[in-house]
mmCIF file of all heavy atoms in Angstrom:
data_model
loop_
_atom_site.group_PDB
_atom_site.id
_atom_site.type_symbol
_atom_site.label_atom_id
_atom_site.label_comp_id
_atom_site.label_asym_id
_atom_site.label_seq_id
_atom_site.Cartn_x
_atom_site.Cartn_y
_atom_site.Cartn_z
ATOM 1 N N ARG A 67 -15.254 -17.575 6.847
ATOM 2 C CA ARG A 67 -14.072 -17.692 7.712
ATOM 3 C C ARG A 67 -13.081 -18.649 7.071
ATOM 4 O O ARG A 67 -13.465 -19.682 6.537
ATOM 5 C CB ARG A 67 -14.459 -18.239 9.097
ATOM 6 C CG ARG A 67 -15.373 -17.353 9.919
ATOM 7 C CD ARG A 67 -15.613 -17.947 11.298
ATOM 8 N NE ARG A 67 -16.270 -19.255 11.211
ATOM 9 C CZ ARG A 67 -16.405 -20.097 12.231
ATOM 10 N NH1 ARG A 67 -15.890 -19.792 13.404
ATOM 11 N NH2 ARG A 67 -17.026 -21.246 12.074
ATOM 12 N N PHE A 68 -11.821 -18.307 7.145
ATOM 13 C CA PHE A 68 -10.796 -19.186 6.590
ATOM 14 C C PHE A 68 -9.463 -18.906 7.273
ATOM 15 O O PHE A 68 -9.288 -17.884 7.954
ATOM 16 C CB PHE A 68 -10.678 -19.002 5.076
ATOM 17 C CG PHE A 68 -10.567 -17.566 4.640
ATOM 18 C CD1 PHE A 68 -9.337 -16.940 4.551
ATOM 19 C CD2 PHE A 68 -11.707 -16.847 4.331
ATOM 20 C CE1 PHE A 68 -9.238 -15.624 4.156
ATOM 21 C CE2 PHE A 68 -11.617 -15.510 3.934
ATOM 22 C CZ PHE A 68 -10.374 -14.904 3.846
ATOM 23 N N SER A 69 -8.525 -19.800 7.090
ATOM 24 C CA SER A 69 -7.243 -19.676 7.785
ATOM 25 C C SER A 69 -6.254 -18.844 6.993
ATOM 26 O O SER A 69 -6.247 -18.839 5.762
ATOM 27 C CB SER A 69 -6.659 -21.068 8.050
ATOM 28 O OG SER A 69 -6.495 -21.769 6.830
ATOM 29 N N SER A 70 -5.408 -18.147 7.739
ATOM 30 C CA SER A 70 -4.337 -17.350 7.146
ATOM 31 C C SER A 70 -3.026 -17.760 7.828
ATOM 32 O O SER A 70 -2.906 -18.893 8.311
ATOM 33 C CB SER A 70 -4.625 -15.857 7.333
ATOM 34 O OG SER A 70 -3.624 -15.064 6.722
ATOM 35 N N LEU A 71 -2.063 -16.880 7.875
ATOM 36 C CA LEU A 71 -0.807 -17.188 8.550
ATOM 37 C C LEU A 71 -1.006 -17.251 10.060
ATOM 38 O O LEU A 71 -1.942 -16.655 10.592
ATOM 39 C CB LEU A 71 0.246 -16.127 8.226
ATOM 40 C CG LEU A 71 0.729 -16.027 6.778
ATOM 41 C CD1 LEU A 71 1.866 -15.016 6.677
ATOM 42 C CD2 LEU A 71 1.173 -17.377 6.251
ATOM 43 N N PRO A 72 -0.132 -17.950 10.783
ATOM 44 C CA PRO A 72 -0.235 -17.994 12.241
ATOM 45 C C PRO A 72 -0.085 -16.610 12.862
ATOM 46 O O PRO A 72 0.370 -15.664 12.212
ATOM 47 C CB PRO A 72 0.935 -18.905 12.648
ATOM 48 C CG PRO A 72 1.243 -19.704 11.432
ATOM 49 C CD PRO A 72 0.958 -18.806 10.277
ATOM 50 N N SER A 73 -0.453 -16.517 14.116
ATOM 51 C CA SER A 73 -0.303 -15.271 14.862
ATOM 52 C C SER A 73 1.157 -14.866 14.932
ATOM 53 O O SER A 73 2.046 -15.714 15.023
ATOM 54 C CB SER A 73 -0.857 -15.442 16.276
ATOM 55 O OG SER A 73 -0.512 -14.337 17.084
ATOM 56 N N SER A 74 1.395 -13.578 14.910
ATOM 57 C CA SER A 74 2.759 -13.070 15.094
ATOM 58 C C SER A 74 3.033 -12.757 16.562
ATOM 59 O O SER A 74 4.116 -12.306 16.915
ATOM 60 C CB SER A 74 2.968 -11.801 14.260
ATOM 61 O OG SER A 74 2.090 -10.773 14.685
ATOM 62 N N GLN A 75 2.032 -13.019 17.422
ATOM 63 C CA GLN A 75 2.148 -12.639 18.830
ATOM 64 C C GLN A 75 2.700 -13.752 19.722
ATOM 65 O O GLN A 75 3.081 -13.495 20.857
ATOM 66 C CB GLN A 75 0.774 -12.223 19.375
ATOM 67 C CG GLN A 75 0.044 -11.202 18.529
ATOM 68 C CD GLN A 75 0.792 -9.901 18.387
ATOM 69 O OE1 GLN A 75 1.606 -9.563 19.217
ATOM 70 N NE2 GLN A 75 0.528 -9.175 17.315
ATOM 71 N N ALA A 76 2.707 -14.978 19.234
ATOM 72 C CA ALA A 76 3.158 -16.102 20.062
ATOM 73 C C ALA A 76 4.620 -15.915 20.479
ATOM 74 O O ALA A 76 5.494 -15.700 19.640
ATOM 75 C CB ALA A 76 2.995 -17.407 19.318
ATOM 76 N N LYS A 77 4.871 -15.966 21.765
ATOM 77 C CA LYS A 77 6.217 -15.732 22.286
ATOM 78 C C LYS A 77 7.006 -17.018 22.527
ATOM 79 O O LYS A 77 8.226 -17.015 22.519
ATOM 80 C CB LYS A 77 6.126 -14.956 23.611
ATOM 81 C CG LYS A 77 5.349 -13.653 23.524
ATOM 82 C CD LYS A 77 5.939 -12.672 22.526
ATOM 83 C CE LYS A 77 5.147 -11.371 22.504
ATOM 84 N NZ LYS A 77 5.641 -10.418 21.491
ATOM 85 N N SER A 78 6.284 -18.112 22.718
ATOM 86 C CA SER A 78 6.969 -19.353 23.069
ATOM 87 C C SER A 78 6.539 -20.485 22.128
ATOM 88 O O SER A 78 5.348 -20.674 21.867
ATOM 89 C CB SER A 78 6.654 -19.751 24.514
ATOM 90 O OG SER A 78 7.133 -21.046 24.801
ATOM 91 N N LYS A 79 7.507 -21.247 21.637
ATOM 92 C CA LYS A 79 7.207 -22.371 20.752
ATOM 93 C C LYS A 79 6.530 -23.521 21.481
ATOM 94 O O LYS A 79 6.013 -24.438 20.855
ATOM 95 C CB LYS A 79 8.489 -22.858 20.086
ATOM 96 C CG LYS A 79 9.074 -21.871 19.098
ATOM 97 C CD LYS A 79 10.292 -22.439 18.396
ATOM 98 C CE LYS A 79 10.849 -21.454 17.374
ATOM 99 N NZ LYS A 79 12.020 -22.000 16.651
ATOM 100 N N THR A 80 6.559 -23.480 22.796
ATOM 101 C CA THR A 80 5.920 -24.534 23.581
ATOM 102 C C THR A 80 4.512 -24.141 24.030
ATOM 103 O O THR A 80 3.851 -24.921 24.705
ATOM 104 C CB THR A 80 6.772 -24.863 24.825
ATOM 105 O OG1 THR A 80 6.907 -23.689 25.638
ATOM 106 C CG2 THR A 80 8.149 -25.359 24.418
ATOM 107 N N SER A 81 4.067 -22.922 23.667
ATOM 108 C CA SER A 81 2.740 -22.474 24.080
ATOM 109 C C SER A 81 1.662 -23.259 23.330
ATOM 110 O O SER A 81 1.875 -23.733 22.210
ATOM 111 C CB SER A 81 2.570 -20.978 23.833
ATOM 112 O OG SER A 81 2.721 -20.673 22.461
ATOM 113 N N LYS A 82 0.500 -23.380 23.939
ATOM 114 C CA LYS A 82 -0.607 -24.143 23.376
ATOM 115 C C LYS A 82 -1.048 -23.522 22.053
ATOM 116 O O LYS A 82 -1.300 -22.327 21.970
ATOM 117 C CB LYS A 82 -1.777 -24.157 24.361
ATOM 118 C CG LYS A 82 -2.940 -25.032 23.920
ATOM 119 C CD LYS A 82 -4.041 -25.032 24.972
ATOM 120 C CE LYS A 82 -5.208 -25.897 24.535
ATOM 121 N NZ LYS A 82 -6.299 -25.897 25.545
ATOM 122 N N GLY A 83 -1.130 -24.363 21.024
ATOM 123 C CA GLY A 83 -1.581 -23.880 19.728
ATOM 124 C C GLY A 83 -0.551 -23.067 18.967
ATOM 125 O O GLY A 83 -0.885 -22.393 17.988
ATOM 126 N N TYR A 84 0.706 -23.140 19.395
ATOM 127 C CA TYR A 84 1.751 -22.361 18.720
ATOM 128 C C TYR A 84 1.789 -22.686 17.220
ATOM 129 O O TYR A 84 1.740 -23.841 16.817
ATOM 130 C CB TYR A 84 3.120 -22.653 19.339
ATOM 131 C CG TYR A 84 4.266 -22.008 18.577
ATOM 132 C CD1 TYR A 84 4.528 -20.652 18.710
ATOM 133 C CD2 TYR A 84 5.053 -22.760 17.705
ATOM 134 C CE1 TYR A 84 5.557 -20.054 18.004
ATOM 135 C CE2 TYR A 84 6.089 -22.171 16.992
ATOM 136 C CZ TYR A 84 6.336 -20.821 17.149
ATOM 137 O OH TYR A 84 7.356 -20.235 16.435
ATOM 138 N N ASN A 85 1.834 -21.651 16.427
ATOM 139 C CA ASN A 85 1.957 -21.757 14.972
ATOM 140 C C ASN A 85 0.692 -22.263 14.273
ATOM 141 O O ASN A 85 0.729 -22.615 13.094
ATOM 142 C CB ASN A 85 3.145 -22.632 14.574
ATOM 143 C CG ASN A 85 3.863 -22.072 13.360
ATOM 144 O OD1 ASN A 85 3.957 -20.860 13.193
ATOM 145 N ND2 ASN A 85 4.374 -22.934 12.508
ATOM 146 N N ASN A 86 -0.439 -22.312 15.011
ATOM 147 C CA ASN A 86 -1.699 -22.638 14.352
ATOM 148 C C ASN A 86 -2.099 -21.489 13.436
ATOM 149 O O ASN A 86 -1.931 -20.321 13.793
ATOM 150 C CB ASN A 86 -2.810 -22.843 15.387
ATOM 151 C CG ASN A 86 -2.765 -24.216 16.013
ATOM 152 O OD1 ASN A 86 -1.989 -25.069 15.595
ATOM 153 N ND2 ASN A 86 -3.593 -24.425 17.025
ATOM 154 N N PRO A 87 -2.629 -21.771 12.264
ATOM 155 C CA PRO A 87 -3.092 -20.692 11.384
ATOM 156 C C PRO A 87 -4.173 -19.862 12.069
ATOM 157 O O PRO A 87 -5.031 -20.401 12.774
ATOM 158 C CB PRO A 87 -3.648 -21.437 10.177
ATOM 159 C CG PRO A 87 -2.949 -22.754 10.182
ATOM 160 C CD PRO A 87 -2.768 -23.095 11.627
ATOM 161 N N LEU A 88 -4.123 -18.563 11.872
ATOM 162 C CA LEU A 88 -5.128 -17.667 12.431
ATOM 163 C C LEU A 88 -6.347 -17.644 11.518
ATOM 164 O O LEU A 88 -6.217 -17.584 10.293
ATOM 165 C CB LEU A 88 -4.555 -16.249 12.568
ATOM 166 C CG LEU A 88 -5.448 -15.214 13.254
ATOM 167 C CD1 LEU A 88 -5.587 -15.548 14.736
ATOM 168 C CD2 LEU A 88 -4.862 -13.816 13.082
ATOM 169 N N THR A 89 -7.525 -17.702 12.108
ATOM 170 C CA THR A 89 -8.768 -17.641 11.329
ATOM 171 C C THR A 89 -9.215 -16.198 11.187
ATOM 172 O O THR A 89 -9.291 -15.460 12.172
ATOM 173 C CB THR A 89 -9.875 -18.455 12.013
ATOM 174 O OG1 THR A 89 -9.481 -19.829 12.080
ATOM 175 C CG2 THR A 89 -11.185 -18.354 11.237
ATOM 176 N N ILE A 90 -9.487 -15.779 9.945
ATOM 177 C CA ILE A 90 -9.974 -14.434 9.692
ATOM 178 C C ILE A 90 -11.322 -14.505 8.977
ATOM 179 O O ILE A 90 -11.748 -15.572 8.532
ATOM 180 C CB ILE A 90 -8.972 -13.607 8.863
ATOM 181 C CG1 ILE A 90 -8.828 -14.199 7.451
ATOM 182 C CG2 ILE A 90 -7.624 -13.529 9.556
ATOM 183 C CD1 ILE A 90 -8.094 -13.288 6.496
ATOM 184 N N TYR A 91 -11.971 -13.358 8.869
ATOM 185 C CA TYR A 91 -13.274 -13.257 8.222
ATOM 186 C C TYR A 91 -13.160 -12.433 6.945
ATOM 187 O O TYR A 91 -12.234 -11.633 6.778
ATOM 188 C CB TYR A 91 -14.278 -12.562 9.143
ATOM 189 C CG TYR A 91 -14.621 -13.307 10.400
ATOM 190 C CD1 TYR A 91 -13.770 -13.280 11.510
ATOM 191 C CD2 TYR A 91 -15.816 -14.031 10.500
ATOM 192 C CE1 TYR A 91 -14.095 -13.955 12.676
ATOM 193 C CE2 TYR A 91 -16.151 -14.705 11.664
ATOM 194 C CZ TYR A 91 -15.285 -14.663 12.756
ATOM 195 O OH TYR A 91 -15.600 -15.331 13.901
ATOM 196 N N SER A 92 -14.148 -12.600 6.074
ATOM 197 C CA SER A 92 -14.265 -11.734 4.908
ATOM 198 C C SER A 92 -15.723 -11.652 4.480
ATOM 199 O O SER A 92 -16.447 -12.652 4.521
ATOM 200 C CB SER A 92 -13.423 -12.246 3.737
ATOM 201 O OG SER A 92 -13.579 -11.404 2.595
ATOM 202 N N TYR A 93 -16.139 -10.455 4.099
ATOM 203 C CA TYR A 93 -17.430 -10.290 3.442
ATOM 204 C C TYR A 93 -17.282 -10.692 1.985
ATOM 205 O O TYR A 93 -16.229 -10.466 1.370
ATOM 206 C CB TYR A 93 -17.898 -8.841 3.507
ATOM 207 C CG TYR A 93 -18.277 -8.360 4.890
ATOM 208 C CD1 TYR A 93 -17.361 -7.697 5.697
ATOM 209 C CD2 TYR A 93 -19.561 -8.565 5.393
ATOM 210 C CE1 TYR A 93 -17.702 -7.245 6.963
ATOM 211 C CE2 TYR A 93 -19.921 -8.113 6.661
ATOM 212 C CZ TYR A 93 -18.981 -7.455 7.448
ATOM 213 O OH TYR A 93 -19.327 -7.022 8.691
#
Side-chain angles (χ1 to χ4, degrees):
R67 296 184 299 169
F68 49 88
S69 58
S70 182
L71 294 186
S73 170
S74 62
Q75 309 299 336
K77 305 301 182 183
S78 171
K79 292 184 178 181
T80 60
S81 60
K82 185 178 180 181
Y84 173 77
N85 219 35
N86 280 353
L88 185 69
T89 298
I90 66 168
Y91 295 80
S92 178
Y93 291 94

